[in-house]
Amino acid sequence: MVAVATDFETVIGLEVHCQLVTKSKMFCGCSADYSGAEPNTHVCPVCLGMPGVLPVINEQAIAFIVKTGLALNCEISPFSKFDRKNYPYPDLMKGYQISQYDLPVCHDGWLDIEVDGATRRIGITRVHMEEDTARLLHRTDPVTGEGYSLLDVNRSGTPLMEIVSEPDMRTPAEAREYLVRLRQILRYIGVSEANMEDGNFRCDANISLRPRGITAFGSKVEVKNMNSFRAVHDALVFEQKRQAAILDAGGSIPQQTRGWVDERGETVSQRSKESAHDYRYFPEPDLPSLRFAPEYVAEQRALLPELPDARRRRFASLGLSEAEAATLTESRDRADYFEDVSRALALDPQRSAKLAANWVLGEVGRWSNTTGKELAAFPVTAEALAGLIRMVEDGKVTSAVGKEVFEEMVASGRAAQEIVESGGMGQISGSDELRDVVRKVIAANDKAVDDYRAGKEAAVKFLTGQAMRETRGRANPQVIQDLLKQELG
Amino acid sequence: MSDLWRLTAHEAHEGLRSKQFTAVELTESVLARMEAVEPRVHAYITTTAEVALEQAHQADARFAAGTATPLTGVPVAVKDLIVTAGVRTTAGSRILENFIPPYDSHVYEQLLRAGAVMVGKANMDEFAMGSSTEHSAFGPSHNPWNLSLVPGGSSGGSAAAVAAGECLVALGSDTGGSIRQPAALCGVVGMDPTYGRVSRFGIIAFGSSLDQVGPIGRDVEDVVTMADCISGHDPRDSTSNPEPLPDLRHYLGRDIKGLRIGVPKEYFIAGMEEGVKARIEEALAVFEGLGCIVDRDLSLPSTEHALAVYYLIAPSEASANLARYDGVKYGYSDRSHGTMWENMEHTRAGGFGAEVKRRIMLGTYALSAGYYDAYYLKAQKVRTVINQEFQEAFGRYDVLVTPTSPTVAFPIGAKVDDPYAMYLNDIYTLPASVAGLPSISVPCGLSEGLPVGLQIIGNFFDEPRIVMAAHAFERALGWANRLPEL
């Protein structure tokens, strides 16, 4: 990294393929939600590419790509069309893929990323619509040792969106941040699960090096087979070093496709430019062209939720720290939940925000971390959590008890009020009830009592703590202190 | 009763309706005729007697129940690129020799809905690429007017079956003349509807922007009945047009006095047989006699480019459409060569015939990087020009009248090894196909004992006018349902 930075500037562009969460596939009525399904059960003559079948455009997918384009600040082409991309492969049922060539639905957008406190604007070249391929499963016969392949057509024809960035990223960290932001937006607008590990968010990277100060691009290498954000980052770091070493030694970088081998932590050559495909694109004659009226685009724009950046700024304006605002807006679910809690608290907006943030980032976040579950699975409603927060605020329970009540709410689904009343978790403020506790503590802690009498004020704190422990946090600490001072006279 | 196969569909319908005979009797008559002449004509790749008899029984039940349509119980031949669930559908190709589709095409569904009876899957040039049926992997069909001649193509089996009495009406498909040219060569009527009028769902694709299913029959009325049955919007075909459907039967028997007919001079060129020219001239006189205004001065200067345009666009689309036949999923598969790629290569090498391979190569070349602009894109631009010329003409004329084919039927073997000579057969039918216009071929007499076809071209979705002109002409000429002796 250091050696690279001194001599070369890295240029990175990313191509992201992302599956859309439509009900049906891109060009047929089969269910697109095949996860966990038996192989070849979400299929019909159309997505099997049988003779004589024809595609029909999924309107929801088109609405999703338009929303994506708008969220990425793209222009929506008034006129767009589908093209056939021809290449033979056993996972491509028709022998061509319906994709888009020269007139993508969206073009010329941007996405802001923040790395090390600096904001950088990454250009989005285009976003286009296509269909996914079937899935090949490569196996080895355990007896003969011979390799064979199985074909699962469930994935064939599911809507796939390709988002191509400009070569605007300069470090692997920026590339990772771009992916994080992009995934966040896609999830916010509800068009994709955008899960790299599940394969519905896939990334190929183009990377080249050039001497710093030179504007011409070096010859680029395309890196594939990266199955996590970390893999993208590590593969790009590897390529930076590999290419720099070659260039430093006076060599040149051949234009090629390389695959990331995660176990070995290196990229290996897959295909040279000479053997690149001629895809023989031509307009898809089975489909009409797409025309986007300004009214339609405006309609889709109106359906967009508040996007993460805007929401983060708004949260920060409520007095939350930048870090709090960023964490709360990481996912739309979390930001929504935070706002629901805040609204239910119905205090002064800044106070509500602060309290809601503390609990959502604190206890709720801890729940998420320990259970490994998403917020969507969190069993406590925003109203119920706000009820608990209010009890703590009103001094009806201590914050320590509040956390216990929280656990109980998660476990039982009962309301805070009910738990406190039935379980005796309310704060005890009555002197009569607490006097026995205080006497017991005095009797059991001779040393502290002696210290106090010797003038060490700090001993009161210790004795108070002991009394709190006796009551499992339910005692009102102020009452305890007062009683201690009375008893010790 | 044994000659029921001689009836037109509308005559048969009258007989069925008035209980002169049953659909089963009608079907049995056609099946018997098939048994007698099919060995000589070879109109079919697959005959479907069992399916036909079952459908005929159902048809009789519909007559009894009063739910019959004009096609109920009518024996139909279905071109073998029209997908039929449970019935082998080969597209005339070895590569689909064992393909039994699990789904129905839209047009076959329409026939089933109407209660028609399918007697067989008609022979055709492989993947509809050809003008003689000699490119069928299952051997050529023979012209019922002279068995040593071709019936035309690619819907040669459909046209031959209609002319030989092996069905009453048939479905064909037309990409550049594949309905009209065989209809002309077999002395029957064939109609290529406006592109988008008939759903292509379940039609094995050749040239997707050109393919259109249409009827072949022994007179205009039968063709119109079939067209009404298969036309209409189908949401499964995005190029299928939602235009409201005219009831074409409504346009039969109309007076066509004052109809403005344009006769493009570019269609009267060298290579056109004298006998054909003479019949066309006589036909024009017939139209004049009917009170039409015939203008022989129309010029469509881009006509000559239609052939080049067609042979760039159709093969380009075909090169993609035929990519799916790799022996992995269905059809012919040669798996004796080791690797997957080798098996795919051998499957395609052995499964496709020479003409299909030629067109795949033509199309692949035309779409290749560095050639696309000069070939495919240029062809699309010229296509637009051809369209514009037609549109200008339809500003002045109601219909255009031309010969359907420059020649009458030619001997089997005469052109099969000369692709360009074969391509020239379609020189008169290609322009309307390239433009997507509706057209119809009607018999206009004989030349040297063989039928000559007259082509009537209409504007987009103006099937009514070509039907009016064709029907009036057919009546004036007195030629309908004329069958050769076999």
Side-chain angles (χ1 to χ4, degrees):
Chain A
M1 189 88 179
V2 175
V4 170
T6 51
D7 298 314
F8 297 106
E9 181 176 51
T10 304
V11 176
I12 300 168
L14 298 179
E15 290 170 18
V16 169
H17 283 91
C18 129
Q19 277 182 346
L20 298 178
V21 288
T22 51
K23 283 201 181 70
S24 57
K25 292 188 181 181
M26 188 62 218
F27 299 116
C28 66
C30 288
S31 162
D33 181 16
Y34 57 83
S35 74
E38 283 288 303
N40 300 314
T41 53
H42 289 232
V43 296
C44 73
V46 175
C47 56
L48 283 164
M50 298 197 97
V53 297
L54 295 169
V56 176
I57 297 171
N58 182 330
E59 280 187 37
Q60 180 67 71
I62 299 300
F64 279 172
I65 191 174
V66 169
K67 279 173 93 170
T68 303
L70 293 172
L72 297 174
N73 308 291
C74 289
E75 304 281 327
I76 306 301
S77 313
F79 179 87
S80 179
K81 66 176 169 73
F82 285 100
D83 298 278
R84 289 188 184 175
K85 179 181 183 179
N86 296 288
Y87 65 97
Y89 211 71
D91 64 5
L92 193 57
M93 304 314 284
K94 300 186 293 298
Y96 58 86
Q97 180 189 34
I98 303 179
S99 180
Q100 295 196 283
Y101 181 51
D102 54 343
L103 294 169
V105 175
C106 322
H107 60 95
D108 293 307
W110 48 264
L111 172 60
D112 281 342
I113 61 168
E114 213 179 287
V115 175
D116 299 332
T119 300
R120 293 213 53 222
R121 180 156 291 185
I122 309 302
I124 306 284
T125 314
R126 58 187 279 159
V127 185
H128 77 246
M129 196 72 243
E130 59 189 31
E131 56 178 336
D132 210 343
T133 60
R135 219 157 61 87
L136 280 171
L137 304 156
H138 302 291
R139 297 279 161 80
T140 306
D141 188 306
V143 179
T144 65
E146 267 184 66
Y148 64 97
S149 299
L150 298 171
L151 196 57
D152 178 4
V153 188
N154 284 351
R155 196 178 73 181
S156 167
T158 51
L160 201 60
M161 191 166 67
E162 181 170 337
I163 303 164
V164 183
S165 86
E166 288 289 300
D168 285 349
M169 285 154 275
R170 295 293 172 263
T171 65
E174 286 183 8
R176 177 161 60 189
E177 183 61 13
Y178 168 85
L179 293 174
V180 168
R181 289 291 144 236
L182 183 59
R183 177 180 67 179
Q184 183 187 30
I185 288 175
L186 296 175
R187 288 179 174 175
Y188 251 72
I189 62 177
V191 301
S192 176
E193 289 173 10
N195 211 327
M196 217 165 171
E197 283 73 13
D198 293 344
N200 49 40
F201 186 88
R202 300 163 223 156
C203 174
D204 299 334
N206 287 305
I207 175 168
S208 64
L209 265 54
R210 62 184 171 192
R212 198 167 293 284
I214 301 290
T215 50
F217 292 122
S219 62
K220 71 179 178 188
V221 166
E222 184 177 14
V223 188
K224 291 176 174 288
N225 292 351
M226 301 166 294
N227 295 320
S228 67
F229 287 180
R230 181 197 50 76
V232 173
H233 179 265
D234 292 355
L236 290 173
V237 168
F238 177 86
E239 269 302 303
Q240 264 186 328
K241 287 181 185 159
R242 187 187 70 85
Q243 293 186 22
I246 293 172
L247 294 171
D248 273 337
S252 62
I253 309 292
Q255 191 167 331
Q256 59 176 317
T257 300
R258 299 178 69 85
W260 171 248
V261 185
D262 210 45
E263 313 82 73
R264 305 217 303 263
E266 62 180 29
T267 64
V268 296
S269 180
Q270 287 186 327
R271 191 167 78 195
S272 70
K273 194 204 171 202
E274 288 69 37
S275 61
H277 280 298
D278 173 3
Y279 291 117
R280 304 192 308 279
Y281 282 100
F282 72 101
E284 169 55 272
D286 287 334
L287 293 173
S289 52
L290 302 167
R291 283 159 213 271
F292 295 104
E295 299 76 35
Y296 175 82
V297 176
E299 215 172 277
Q300 295 305 321
R301 194 187 295 278
L303 290 173
L304 281 180
E306 186 181 21
L307 295 175
D309 265 354
R311 208 166 194 188
R312 188 166 49 99
R313 282 195 296 274
R314 186 165 59 81
F315 285 5
S317 76
L318 290 168
L320 302 182
S321 72
E322 281 294 332
E324 284 172 327
T327 313
L328 284 171
T329 51
E330 253 172 30
S331 83
R332 187 174 165 188
D333 275 351
R334 188 184 295 163
D336 284 348
Y337 189 77
F338 156 75
E339 290 217 84
D340 289 345
V341 173
S342 183
R343 203 174 300 118
L345 281 171
L347 304 168
D348 152 58
Q350 299 216 347
R351 183 75 192 138
S352 287
K354 187 69 207 161
L355 288 170
N358 286 347
W359 280 82
V360 171
L361 295 175
E363 293 312 302
V364 181
R366 247 187 297 285
W367 171 85
S368 214
N369 288 339
T370 46
T371 59
K373 287 182 186 164
E374 294 292 327
L375 188 60
F378 186 58
V380 180
T381 65
E383 289 69 29
L385 182 60
L388 170 61
I389 297 172
R390 231 181 281 111
M391 288 181 78
V392 176
E393 272 308 285
D394 295 347
K396 291 189 182 132
V397 293
T398 62
S399 65
V401 170
K403 284 170 190 173
E404 277 183 53
V405 174
F406 177 87
E407 300 291 338
E408 185 56 27
M409 288 169 79
V410 171
S412 69
R414 288 153 69 207
Q417 184 85 35
E418 193 191 325
I419 293 168
V420 168
E421 280 167 4
S422 65
M425 280 177 172
Q427 193 167 46
I428 308 167
S429 302
S431 328
D432 297 341
E433 289 162 89
L434 292 177
R435 195 171 300 276
D436 284 349
V437 176
V438 166
R439 283 182 180 153
K440 196 173 157 195
V441 167
I442 288 169
N445 293 283
D446 291 344
K447 174 142 195 330
V449 170
D450 290 345
D451 286 349
Y452 176 79
R453 292 198 166 122
K456 285 189 185 165
E457 280 288 323
V460 173
K461 285 218 169 79
F462 173 77
L463 292 168
T464 307
Q466 295 303 305
M468 293 303 289
R469 199 154 76 181
E470 279 294 313
T471 58
R472 286 188 293 122
R474 289 168 56 213
N476 182 328
Q478 194 53 56
V479 176
I480 294 283
Q481 279 195 26
D482 292 346
L483 286 172
L484 274 170
K485 284 176 185 165
Q486 277 178 31
E487 290 292 319
L488 295 169
Chain B
M1 294 298 242
S2 59
D3 275 0
L4 294 177
W5 56 266
R6 287 188 180 276
L7 300 174
T8 63
H10 56 91
E11 289 165 351
H13 177 69
E14 281 310 307
L16 290 165
R17 204 181 49 80
S18 57
K19 301 195 165 46
Q20 292 171 44
F21 49 84
T22 65
V24 170
E25 286 166 340
L26 174 63
T27 300
E28 280 170 345
S29 166
V30 168
L31 293 175
R33 174 69 176 171
M34 287 165 72
E35 210 159 291
V37 303
E38 175 61 7
R40 286 176 285 154
V41 178
H42 190 230
Y44 292 99
I45 291 173
T46 307
T47 54
T48 55
E50 261 180 56
V51 171
L53 285 169
E54 200 198 314
Q55 290 173 342
H57 279 288
Q58 290 167 7
D60 283 327
R62 284 182 68 164
F63 274 100
T67 58
T69 77
L71 286 174
T72 303
V74 171
V76 181
V78 174
K79 188 178 183 179
D80 207 21
L81 53 55
I82 296 170
V83 167
T84 45
V87 176
R88 179 172 82 138
T89 302
T90 70
S93 182
R94 188 180 181 203
I95 212 153
L96 287 174
E97 64 185 358
N98 56 8
F99 177 60
I100 297 177
Y103 54 101
D104 276 325
S105 52
H106 177 79
V107 290
Y108 186 56
E109 282 177 357
Q110 294 295 97
L111 286 184
L112 291 176
R113 202 163 292 152
V117 169
M118 179 171 74
V119 290
K121 302 296 298 284
N123 196 15
M124 56 182 285
D125 288 292
E126 185 177 2
F127 286 102
M129 298 175 184
S131 310
S132 69
T133 73
E134 290 165 288
H135 296 306
S136 167
F138 302 88
S141 297
H142 298 257
N143 194 315
W145 291 80
N146 179 335
L147 293 170
S148 68
L149 306 181
V150 302
S154 65
S155 311
S158 298
V162 172
E166 295 192 72
C167 64
L168 272 49
V169 283
L171 284 183
S173 74
D174 197 313
T175 306
S178 281
I179 288 173
R180 294 159 287 163
Q181 185 257 13
L185 270 48
C186 290
V188 293
V189 181
M191 180 170 159
D192 178 14
T194 308
Y195 181 80
R197 187 64 104 182
V198 181
S199 169
R200 292 184 294 115
F201 185 83
I203 307 308
I204 297 181
F206 161 22
S208 308
S209 72
L210 297 150
D211 296 342
Q212 192 66 187
V213 174
I216 297 175
R218 302 205 198 118
D219 65 10
V220 173
E221 183 172 349
D222 278 5
V223 161
V224 161
T225 305
M226 287 282 278
D228 279 339
C229 169
I230 60 173
S231 298
H233 182 62
D234 173 15
R236 294 170 299 182
D237 174 3
S238 304
T239 63
S240 137
N241 200 287
E243 290 270 321
L245 270 185
D247 177 1
L248 290 180
R249 292 182 62 85
H250 185 64
Y251 296 92
L252 296 170
R254 295 289 190 95
D255 183 358
I256 58 167
K257 193 161 181 285
L259 192 78
R260 298 168 301 166
I261 295 177
V263 184
K265 46 185 164 203
E266 287 77 7
Y267 284 68
F268 295 84
I269 48 158
M272 179 185 204
E273 288 175 356
E274 279 308 313
V276 171
K277 192 176 175 206
R279 292 299 88 74
I280 302 300
E281 289 296 344
E282 289 161 19
L284 293 175
V286 169
F287 278 115
E288 281 168 335
L290 289 166
C292 300
I293 304 152
V294 177
D295 182 355
R296 294 175 174 79
D297 275 338
L298 166 62
S299 173
L300 298 171
S302 298
T303 299
E304 60 167 323
H305 301 304
L307 183 87
V309 166
Y310 178 85
Y311 278 99
L312 287 168
I313 292 174
S316 292
E317 293 175 352
S319 72
N321 285 330
L322 272 59
R324 70 192 65 193
Y325 307 112
D326 56 12
V328 173
K329 299 156 294 224
Y330 43 74
Y332 172 79
S333 186
D334 183 347
R335 301 191 178 184
S336 57
H337 296 273
T339 72
M340 176 196 77
W341 293 109
E342 285 168 329
N343 287 337
M344 276 190 192
E345 264 182 56
H346 281 91
T347 294
R348 289 170 69 80
F352 288 137
E355 182 61 23
V356 170
K357 287 180 208 163
R358 181 178 298 122
R359 296 204 196 185
I360 289 174
M361 284 190 278
L362 275 174
T364 303
Y365 185 81
L367 291 174
S368 295
Y371 298 99
Y372 179 85
D373 288 0
Y375 293 124
Y376 183 83
L377 195 63
K378 179 68 82 53
Q380 288 292 14
K381 287 177 180 167
V382 178
R383 189 178 192 176
T384 306
V385 173
I386 291 170
N387 253 322
Q388 286 165 350
E389 285 181 9
F390 272 121
Q391 284 312 303
E392 281 166 28
F394 285 117
R396 286 175 286 146
Y397 308 102
D398 297 311
V399 296
L400 309 182
V401 168
T402 78
T404 304
S405 172
T407 70
V408 292
F410 47 91
I412 290 173
K415 299 182 183 178
V416 71
D417 296 322
D418 183 352
Y420 189 64
M422 190 71 92
Y423 297 172
L424 286 173
N425 275 296
D426 294 332
I427 190 119
Y428 298 147
T429 47
L430 291 170
S433 290
V434 163
L437 298 168
S439 52
I440 191 166
S441 177
V442 285
C444 61
L446 300 175
S447 167
E448 293 166 33
L450 294 170
V452 176
L454 178 83
Q455 177 176 233
I456 306 170
I457 304 170
N459 205 351
F460 293 116
F461 301 103
D462 197 8
E463 282 89 353
R465 276 205 184 80
I466 62 172
V467 164
M468 280 165 58
H471 194 235
F473 174 78
E474 179 186 80
R475 285 184 152 191
L477 195 69
W479 178 306
N481 195 21
R482 195 173 292 190
L483 301 182
E485 287 312 313
L486 262 170

